[in-house]
Amino acid sequence: DGGETSEDDESDSQDEGEARNWFPGNKVGQAEKDALRKLDPSEVRFSMVLNGTEIAEMGSNGVYNGLTTSGFLDGNVLARWGVHSYVAGVWGKAGAAAKHAAQLTDAEKKARLSGVIKQLKEVERQRKLEMEKSRNRCQNFLPPLPRCPKLCKCLKTCQCPNQCKTCKSKETHAHQLSQMEQCRAEMERLLSSVPPSPP
């Protein structure tokens, strides 16, 4: 996966990184953080404190605790959570979040998962908005490159996404969105499996 990086790929442009990091005020990162907090309010599995300070809180040195300079969760946070990458390790159908949800009691599932699902839907909404922004930002100015089999110029529809940073970022968003959707679907399945309360 992504080693000790928060996302599976940190090589996107700065604008794209800002669209999905954990810097304070970022809608995607905040919704993901809120989802984990609703899933694990006691922070036994997903502690939001590192070295005695809240993750993403700025220190007196101007550095955000537990974040890389790009705003992604750093390796110390991921190691504390027992994952090697953020998107693939925490989310998805079989990620740490879904596994933790599966271990909850029926009462805990009923109390927590509706809120988690609501937050994941907000994450999905925000990521779709970012994907649309990525599509609108594609300048279609790439020159023909020998390694592009169709020697395209990225006109209208980009045919060489590996060469277009904007289109590559859109693909990254699509992968992350898929992981969130899979996680949310698994949460919904777990919640629906809880037997109804006796009358």
Side-chain angles (χ1 to χ4, degrees):
D1 294 329
E4 292 187 348
T5 57
S6 65
E7 302 281 359
D8 293 321
D9 183 2
E10 278 199 24
S11 63
D12 300 333
S13 68
Q14 183 178 359
D15 287 344
E16 295 310 318
E18 289 174 355
R20 52 188 172 81
N21 60 37
W22 272 47
F23 280 140
N26 182 280
K27 293 181 180 179
V28 173
Q30 187 60 56
E32 292 170 355
K33 186 176 183 179
D34 289 345
L36 291 175
R37 275 203 152 127
K38 289 181 181 298
L39 176 63
D40 182 27
S42 299
E43 298 189 14
V44 174
R45 180 65 181 81
F46 299 103
S47 175
M48 295 297 167
V49 175
L50 182 68
N51 298 325
T53 304
E54 177 83 7
I55 292 173
E57 180 177 318
M58 181 185 284
S60 58
N61 58 356
V63 176
Y64 290 96
N65 186 47
L67 302 185
T68 68
T69 56
S70 299
F72 299 109
L73 296 176
D74 67 20
N76 294 319
V77 176
L78 300 183
R80 187 179 181 88
W81 291 357
V83 298
H84 294 292
S85 67
Y86 178 62
V87 175
V90 175
W91 306 107
K93 182 178 181 180
K99 289 178 180 177
H100 183 74
Q103 295 173 354
L104 299 177
T105 66
D106 286 348
E108 289 172 332
K109 288 175 183 175
K110 292 176 69 174
R112 302 180 193 179
L113 294 191
S114 291
V116 175
I117 291 167
K118 181 179 179 180
Q119 287 302 129
L120 290 179
K121 286 182 177 179
E122 175 62 15
V123 172
E124 293 170 26
R125 188 180 76 83
Q126 292 294 336
R127 286 189 179 274
K128 287 175 181 177
L129 288 175
E130 292 304 326
M131 288 175 66
E132 183 63 18
K133 290 178 184 177
S134 294
R135 185 184 70 80
N136 292 336
R137 275 200 295 264
C138 183
Q139 299 298 310
N140 302 318
F141 290 154
L142 288 187
L145 296 174
R147 52 187 163 174
C148 178
K150 296 185 179 180
L151 296 180
C152 74
K153 294 184 179 180
C154 205
L155 296 174
K156 302 301 180 182
T157 301
C158 180
Q159 298 180 49
C160 43
N162 290 331
Q163 308 304 328
C164 177
K165 288 185 178 180
T166 300
C167 293
K168 182 180 179 182
S169 179
K170 183 179 177 182
E171 287 189 343
T172 302
H173 275 303
H175 167 67
Q176 293 160 357
L177 175 61
S178 175
Q179 292 293 97
M180 295 296 171
E181 290 173 334
Q182 290 177 39
C183 184
R184 189 246 311 154
E186 180 63 11
M187 299 285 182
E188 291 174 336
R189 186 192 70 77
L190 290 169
L191 183 58
S192 67
S193 70
V194 176
S197 302

